[in-house]
Amino acid sequence: MAALVAGLPSGCFHCAEVLPAQAPTVAVDGVTRAFCCDGCAAAALWIRDAGLSQYYRLRRDEARRVSAEEEDFSAWMQPEILAEHAWAVPGGMEIVVLSAGLRCAACAWLVDQALMRENGVLDVTANAATGRIRLRWNPSAVDLSKLLQRLGALGFAPVLATGTARERTRRREWRRDVLRLGLAGIGAMQAMMFAEALYLDTAAQMPVATRDFLRWTTLLVSTPVVFIAGWPFIAGLLRGLRERSATMDVLAGASILLAYFASVVETLRGGGQVWFDASVMFVFLLLTARQLEQWARRRATLCVDALAQRRPVFAQREEGDGTLTRIATAKIRVGDVLRVDAGDSVPADGVLLDAQAALDEALLTGEALPVLRRRGDPIAAGSNCCERPLRLRVVRVGGDTRLAQLVRLLEQAQTQRPRLARAADRAARQFANGVLIAAVLVFGAWWWWQPARAFEVVLALLVISCPCALALALPAALAAATDALARRGVLVVRADAVEVLAAVDTLILDKTGTLTDTRLARDTVQTFGGMTCDEVLAIAASLQGDATHPLAAAFRAAAASGPELPRVASGTGQGTGPIAEPGAAEQAQIPCGLRPGLGIEGCVGGRHYRLGRADFAAARDDDGAVWLGDGQTALARFSVEQQLRANAAAAVATLQQLNISIEISTGDSAEAAAAVAGQLGINCWRARQTPEDKLARAQALQRAGHVVSMLGDGINDAPVLAGASVSFAFADGAALTHRAADLVLTGNALAGVAHSIAVARRTRRIVRQNLVWAATYNVVALPFAALGWVAPWLAALGMAGSSLFVVLNALRLSRSHT
Amino acid sequence: MTILLLLVPLAVLLLAAAVAAFVWAVRHGQFDDLDTPALAPLLEDAAPPLQRHAD
């Protein structure tokens, strides 16, 4: 059985990615397993030899692909980085790092075990829920970079956390919240016990001394619950009073304090009844609902933190004598000569010093394919260097760069975004007004009829109309909705995102990277010289190796989607040989190379190939397509095009069914935009848009009364994401967009937008039902309370019952609908 | 019902003890990770943490 599994590998045993023609193998637990690359194989080998292979049995998610090249973590050892991210503890230092690969409890266990084996490690706590690894080490016994390398080699490549101060605040807040909730739970249950004793005295036979003893004890137990656990509500009340706005917080805080102080007064003067239990139950129920909502959102924020992929950022400055020095990006000065490695992003605006260079500006401008820059051309910070290292002279730094301008635009847009009135706050205002008017009328009536009981009855009335269910209505529904969305790969980052989303009527879409991918159309591959389509694709993918630009990714994807992968004879030199034969990699590398602006050449299976422009690869005239050849004769022609994402059409159709009007706004050319809009049936599109244009368009729509949502992935979209009423970013988009967006989409992206809007609308419906129910309950209870007929136990039962109804109604949201 | 004079303060004392224990647990990070420890019973501890001092 096991041998059968190993004989028919469906994907890499470690990361489940597609297997190459010659997959390296490792025997794990007595079964031979195949791996996609040497990196994964080495990780599995290490895990097996460390005796940790039960990880593979216990994990729920596949690991991430392990890069075959060892990442260099020496930059982490720089004093500036350590000063900001690590702190001293007894016996050594402590640092918190993030890892996007930390997905399940088994991963956390593996990280713990792996790092504890290293000398000089004092303590490790990996937390899969937060994606964080807390590491305590002794700097004199081991280098931090060695430990981080171990993490990287297992597929948990660490990235910088958000800084010591924020990490510590985060932990302090979490503990404070758990403490409050625990205290409220323990205290409220105990206060209920004593209140029960008082309730059971239905015939009022209890001696006054016993009754007062029990009341004073309840007072003792309730006080910390109200003032420590219930502090967020009291603080909300004070804030609301200062700002003179009647919000739900004011209502909740006022009710808690009212029930508490009314009970204190009745205890002191030996009055008819006390409501300590109502006060503490309110604190406990409301705190639970709020914490659930906050924790659901906090989980989302933590995931987004890991997506930002913060690494120590250094630039390489070329000194007068040609040597390179690593300097912090803050130390770059105008006039410096910098070197940027392939795959790195450009740290400052400058002019190119090399003859030519290819730059990926997709995130900055929306241009899909790498652009060619020549000597003296300007290069913008934030663009990615493709293919090979480049040199540039800095002309602008810091706040003057294009990137910094976009960040300023983003911040400005964020302050100007229109606010929607929250339904719950409106309900709270109406409710508070209604209850106050009723209280005045009732007090007047009793004063006229039976002045001795007036105070007592009005107090009872105010406590019984305690709007517990009303206050629960919103947080309970939001918690359920946030959770339901997270399960579908939509992370809700900002608090009122779901509410605003329900009101959205216009959606602006970016084109490049959002609606389209750079894709190689398999069915348009032409081959010459008798090779099959799959063979030429495999060769092309091998030549591209691990390059990161969109075209290389397109070749890899096309090769991987083939029905069966062709066998390329002998080692390919791209890390696909068995792990035992590292020599294979060396043969192929000598003639390999990138020819900027032309293509790439190298050896696959002993033959020399060129891939790129027609004149370079096959000695023909350039026709815009990508050719594979040996420099003289052509072997294949690939046409590369912007293709719609697989689910784009379906997602757009679903959105249109939801009565959302859709616009395309792109930095790309008019033809490209028109083609995509035509294919999707979208009437409105704008091409060649700068970030400022996009933002202006969104704001114009908002002024016209529309609630505008935006979906984008590039740095050029960040300002409009911040300015839209509610916005979506992609998990694999630029880090700046995560900062600007309210929701982050992982996985099957476009479908997530329609799904979120549908869930948001259902949430709005359920919140409304809840508000109506809660108000009805109070309206019915009010007359009885006004007549002085409601016993405290009945009031408590009614309150708990209506709250339960509201919570159960909200939970309907987490039941999966499609 | 004089026994209440003993039992009620006793209950309050126990309550105080429970709260103190809870506060101690939270402050010592017992609630920081609510997911990973669920896996602990399933694992045979391949390498007891002490082993690293030996090598």
Side-chain angles (χ1 to χ4, degrees):
Chain A
M1 179 66 194
L4 192 75
V5 174
L8 293 169
S10 54
C12 174
F13 183 59
H14 189 73
C15 69
E17 280 196 25
V18 184
L19 290 174
Q22 289 205 333
T25 57
V26 171
V28 181
D29 283 346
V31 186
T32 306
R33 309 284 190 180
F35 295 87
C36 66
C37 60
D38 290 350
C40 284
L45 198 64
W46 190 90
I47 291 172
R48 183 195 71 185
D49 291 346
L52 301 174
S53 38
Q54 42 178 330
Y55 159 72
Y56 289 111
R57 278 188 282 116
L58 292 169
R59 66 179 177 178
R60 271 181 305 172
D61 277 317
E62 279 79 24
R64 275 157 71 102
R65 187 181 170 150
V66 184
S67 165
E69 289 150 43
E70 284 204 346
E71 205 179 326
D72 179 20
F73 288 103
S74 55
W76 291 61
M77 309 285 293
Q78 303 270 348
E80 296 100 319
I81 298 296
L82 284 182
E84 195 191 338
H85 291 273
W87 57 92
V89 290
M93 303 275 285
E94 181 171 303
I95 193 171
V96 173
V97 296
L98 299 179
S99 173
L102 203 61
R103 291 173 181 176
C104 65
C107 304
W109 172 81
L110 180 66
V111 167
D112 276 354
Q113 295 291 323
L115 287 182
M116 284 309 267
R117 273 147 216 260
E118 301 283 337
N119 260 327
V121 173
L122 305 172
D123 191 23
V124 188
T125 328
N127 188 334
T130 61
R132 277 154 170 79
I133 302 165
R134 198 161 54 83
L135 180 60
R136 241 174 230 212
W137 82 106
N138 179 359
S140 54
V142 66
D143 263 357
L144 177 63
S145 60
K146 187 177 167 237
L147 302 175
L148 298 176
Q149 225 145 34
R150 166 63 29 236
L151 278 177
L154 288 174
F156 302 102
V159 293
L160 280 179
T162 46
T164 309
R166 237 195 95 190
E167 287 302 308
R168 284 184 157 178
T169 317
R170 192 189 58 77
R171 195 163 76 182
R172 209 172 42 238
E173 281 176 0
W174 163 262
R175 288 187 178 177
R176 193 195 57 205
D177 292 347
V178 173
L179 264 182
R180 281 209 175 115
L181 192 58
L183 181 66
I186 300 173
M189 293 314 136
Q190 196 57 49
M192 287 295 281
M193 295 286 196
F194 294 127
E196 194 72 13
L198 292 168
Y199 290 159
L200 290 177
D201 176 36
T202 44
Q205 290 163 328
M206 191 184 282
V208 171
T210 313
R211 191 197 68 182
D212 282 353
F213 176 56
L214 283 176
R215 284 184 179 180
W216 281 101
T217 320
T218 323
L219 170 66
L220 179 70
V221 174
S222 308
T223 307
V225 176
V226 170
F227 290 99
I228 299 176
W231 182 252
F233 307 111
I234 298 175
L237 167 68
L238 296 177
R239 196 169 48 242
L241 290 181
R242 256 201 317 275
E243 293 166 4
R244 295 184 188 286
S245 58
T247 58
M248 192 52 97
D249 264 8
V250 172
L251 198 58
S255 311
I256 292 165
L257 288 185
L258 183 80
Y260 176 78
F261 282 113
S263 310
V264 173
V265 168
E266 293 294 90
T267 306
L268 285 172
R269 64 175 208 140
Q273 44 187 263
V274 292
W275 305 274
F276 287 118
D277 54 313
S279 177
V280 293
M281 281 308 278
F282 195 14
V283 171
F284 177 59
L285 288 177
L286 207 48
L287 207 55
T288 310
R290 278 223 187 155
Q291 290 306 337
L292 286 180
E293 187 229 344
Q294 271 179 19
W295 289 343
R297 214 173 55 242
R298 172 146 42 190
R299 266 201 299 279
T301 327
L302 292 170
C303 295
V304 173
D305 277 350
L307 290 175
Q309 296 282 320
R310 263 173 282 251
R311 288 200 172 75
V313 193
F314 287 91
Q316 303 182 81
R317 186 171 65 197
E318 208 171 275
E319 307 295 344
D321 56 359
T323 55
L324 291 174
T325 353
R326 293 170 75 91
I327 55 168
T329 44
K331 289 187 186 151
I332 299 175
R333 296 280 171 267
V334 172
D336 282 354
V337 174
L338 302 179
R339 199 184 116 108
V340 184
D341 285 331
D344 284 355
S345 77
V346 177
D349 287 0
V351 289
L352 187 64
L353 296 177
D354 293 330
Q356 51 185 0
L359 285 154
D360 175 6
E361 297 181 351
L363 290 178
L364 218 50
T365 61
E367 192 85 51
L369 294 172
V371 291
L372 192 68
R373 297 267 180 245
R374 294 178 195 286
R375 193 189 309 274
D377 281 351
I379 294 178
S383 46
N384 254 326
C385 173
C386 297
E387 297 187 353
R388 70 165 190 182
L390 62 83
R391 288 165 67 239
L392 64 96
R393 182 179 302 282
V394 177
V395 293
R396 274 187 301 273
V397 291
D400 297 332
T401 58
R402 181 73 180 131
L403 192 60
Q405 284 170 8
L406 287 179
V407 171
R408 270 201 301 278
L409 192 60
L410 180 162
E411 280 160 0
Q412 219 173 11
Q414 228 153 15
T415 58
Q416 289 168 357
R417 85 190 325 179
R419 290 260 157 268
L420 288 193
R422 308 191 72 169
D425 287 343
R426 212 168 40 237
R429 223 165 9 249
Q430 289 164 355
F431 181 84
N433 289 338
V435 169
L436 281 180
I437 292 168
V440 170
L441 290 179
V442 169
F443 186 78
W446 278 88
W447 188 254
W448 172 76
W449 180 50
Q450 213 178 332
R453 281 197 69 196
F455 178 70
E456 183 187 317
V457 169
V458 168
L459 222 47
L461 171 105
L462 287 175
V463 174
I464 285 162
S465 58
C466 159
C468 188
L470 200 66
L472 276 175
L474 187 67
L478 285 187
T482 307
D483 222 43
L485 285 176
R487 278 205 305 273
R488 294 288 294 257
V490 183
L491 305 172
V492 182
V493 181
R494 213 190 58 200
D496 57 353
V498 175
E499 281 184 272
V500 183
L501 200 54
V504 161
D505 57 8
T506 310
L507 176 66
I508 304 180
L509 294 169
D510 173 43
K511 185 186 73 71
T512 314
T514 301
L515 289 171
T516 59
D517 277 335
T518 306
R519 195 95 55 92
L520 199 72
R522 279 182 63 87
D523 43 356
T524 62
V525 176
Q526 290 171 280
T527 60
F528 313 96
M531 291 180 111
T532 68
C533 169
D534 290 324
E535 275 168 344
V536 293
L537 279 173
I539 294 168
S542 286
L543 281 171
Q544 297 279 2
D546 280 338
T548 51
H549 59 89
L551 197 59
F555 270 106
R556 266 200 302 278
S561 67
E564 193 188 334
L565 286 159
R567 300 219 160 252
V568 180
S570 90
T572 60
Q574 300 298 333
T576 51
I579 191 167
E581 296 172 38
E586 283 153 29
Q587 309 168 354
Q589 284 196 342
I590 303 108
C592 259
L594 294 149
R595 309 283 175 259
L598 296 173
I600 184 169
E601 62 183 313
C603 261
V604 176
R607 275 191 69 182
H608 178 246
Y609 293 104
R610 282 178 166 190
L611 179 71
R613 285 160 56 119
D615 46 356
F616 166 72
R620 295 182 183 213
D621 290 333
D622 181 26
D623 60 352
V626 176
W627 289 75
L628 178 71
D630 57 6
Q632 303 302 322
T633 47
L635 291 170
R637 178 182 183 276
F638 308 98
S639 55
V640 179
E641 53 190 35
Q642 288 290 301
Q643 266 194 346
L644 283 183
R645 287 193 168 202
N647 46 17
V652 166
T654 319
L655 282 164
Q656 280 166 340
Q657 272 167 22
L658 290 169
N659 284 328
I660 306 270
S661 72
I662 302 178
E663 286 189 35
I664 293 179
S665 179
T666 179
D668 212 344
S669 66
E671 303 87 74
V676 169
Q679 275 175 292
L680 291 173
I682 297 172
N683 300 323
C684 190
W685 53 267
R686 276 146 207 278
R688 292 278 172 228
Q689 298 277 296
T690 64
E692 287 83 356
D693 295 339
K694 290 187 177 192
L695 179 59
R697 174 66 186 155
Q699 287 175 338
L701 283 168
Q702 284 168 343
R703 274 193 299 276
H706 294 284
V707 181
V708 180
S709 178
M710 168 79 198
L711 166 65
D713 73 325
I715 294 171
N716 61 334
D717 299 318
V720 61
L721 287 174
S725 310
V726 59
S727 51
F728 295 89
F730 288 113
D732 52 2
L736 196 60
T737 58
H738 300 153
R739 203 169 115 193
D742 305 307
L743 300 106
V744 176
L745 302 167
T746 63
N748 188 356
L750 279 169
V753 177
H755 181 70
S756 325
I757 293 177
V759 168
R761 288 184 179 175
R762 268 177 42 223
T763 308
R764 180 172 62 179
R765 207 160 51 235
I766 283 192
V767 168
R768 282 181 183 163
Q769 285 168 4
N770 278 352
L771 290 176
V772 167
W773 162 266
T776 312
Y777 161 75
N778 280 315
V779 166
V780 170
L782 210 76
F784 293 98
L787 293 173
W789 285 354
V790 183
W793 64 270
L794 198 61
L797 200 67
M799 185 179 97
S802 63
S803 304
L804 193 66
F805 174 88
V806 164
V807 171
L808 290 179
N809 193 28
L811 281 179
R812 293 195 301 140
L813 278 171
S814 41
R815 278 212 320 244
S816 192
H817 283 254
T818 42
Chain B
M1 292 307 264
T2 39
I3 191 70
L4 278 181
L5 285 174
L6 175 69
L7 289 182
V8 169
L10 204 60
V12 174
L13 275 183
L14 283 176
L15 182 70
V19 169
F22 179 68
V23 169
W24 180 90
V26 172
R27 294 233 164 110
H28 284 75
Q30 298 292 315
F31 289 86
D32 284 1
D33 185 357
L34 301 175
D35 301 315
T36 320
L39 200 71
L42 300 177
L43 293 160
E44 312 137 28
D45 223 345
L50 283 177
Q51 194 184 313
R52 78 202 149 92
H53 297 300
D55 56 35

